[in-house]
Amino acid sequence: MIQLHDKQFVPFISAKEIDLAITKLVTKISADYSNEIPVFIGVLNGAFMVVSDLLKRYSSPCEVSFIKMASYEGTSSTEEVKQLLGLNQDLTGRSVIVIEDIVDTGNTLVALKALFEKEKVKEFKIATLFFKPEAYQQDLPIDYVGIRIPNKFIVGYGLDYDGLGRNLPEVYQLKD
Ligand code: IMP
Ligand code: MG
């Protein structure tokens, strides 16, 4: 068990399981993009670890960039999604694959989709390591999902609780 700020967390998903999920994502994405050069867009801060591990295994030509969004306060999602760091690249006609650490309510995804629609991209796809189906409130399909998890707060592997826990190589779940 670990303690971050005032809360306790229990081990939930091992580094090995994360590794397998990333391999599964890479296999699927690689098969779909063998004939073009996709642009991966990582959503900061949470997605830094998944972007790194995923791209180390993606052996075909690709580009990578980052965007910074924030909707979370403490342990719950808010309606308002802020863009904290923008795109500075022309994405006209490109296939964009957004890489998320986790999709919860989907508010961040909807904001991202609206943003990329303005960029006149060829295609907008979403890849996420974790997905909380019970919390998801959108119709937007998620193209690549690593691991489906229950609607409970998690930390580790890039995910934080008020700034702490991002460095943990495995994932922990909030203790009841
Ligand atoms: P959404 O906009 O509600 O889908 O939330 C997306 C963002 O909230 C994710 O990219 C994370 O940064 C953060 N988030 C959602 N669920 C969790 C969680 O269980 N732990 C830590 N951060 C989370
Ligand atoms: Mg995030």
Side-chain angles (χ1 to χ4, degrees):
M1 199 163 71
I2 58 159
Q3 172 114 19
L4 301 171
H5 298 296
D6 57 328
K7 299 202 190 309
Q8 292 180 318
F9 295 84
V10 292
F12 181 48
I13 300 170
S14 68
K16 179 114 196 283
E17 285 173 89
I18 295 169
D19 213 63
L20 286 172
I22 302 244
T23 302
K24 187 179 89 174
L25 288 173
V26 172
T27 305
K28 283 201 196 129
I29 299 170
S30 303
D32 290 352
Y33 289 92
S34 55
N35 295 319
E36 63 180 307
I37 302 176
V39 186
F40 290 105
I41 310 264
V43 185
L44 294 173
N45 291 325
F48 74 96
M49 271 203 198
V50 46
V51 171
S52 170
D53 284 346
L54 200 145
L55 288 206
K56 276 184 274 181
R57 273 181 239 162
Y58 190 88
S59 51
S60 309
C62 64
E63 292 178 29
V64 62
S65 191
F66 290 91
I67 190 166
K68 188 164 181 172
M69 311 284 284
S71 70
Y72 247 67
E73 275 167 23
T75 58
S76 61
S77 192
T78 64
E79 291 271 307
E80 193 200 354
V81 181
K82 287 178 228 145
Q83 190 185 337
L84 306 173
L85 181 77
L87 288 166
N88 50 7
Q89 192 183 347
D90 182 18
L91 295 172
T92 309
R94 303 297 302 272
S95 288
V96 167
I97 304 166
V98 163
I99 304 183
E100 268 281 26
D101 46 357
I102 187 164
V103 175
D104 185 307
T105 62
N107 290 335
T108 306
L109 281 192
V110 167
L112 285 167
K113 181 152 168 79
L115 201 107
F116 286 101
E117 259 157 15
K118 282 188 235 147
E119 299 289 320
K120 302 190 174 62
V121 299
K122 175 183 167 196
E123 191 178 69
F124 173 81
K125 292 255 172 108
I126 301 153
T128 186
L129 178 57
F130 301 114
F131 178 45
K132 292 179 182 168
E134 296 153 21
Y136 196 59
Q137 295 165 3
Q138 319 295 336
D139 299 324
L140 190 61
I142 304 177
D143 307 281
Y144 306 99
V145 174
I147 305 174
R148 285 172 179 78
I149 58 166
N151 191 11
K152 268 191 163 185
F153 191 75
I154 59 168
V155 291
Y157 198 75
L159 294 154
D160 72 307
Y161 168 48
D162 274 346
L164 297 182
R166 294 195 196 275
N167 56 315
L168 300 164
E170 56 286 299
V171 167
Y172 293 76
Q173 190 179 55
L174 186 62
K175 192 174 176 281
D176 292 317

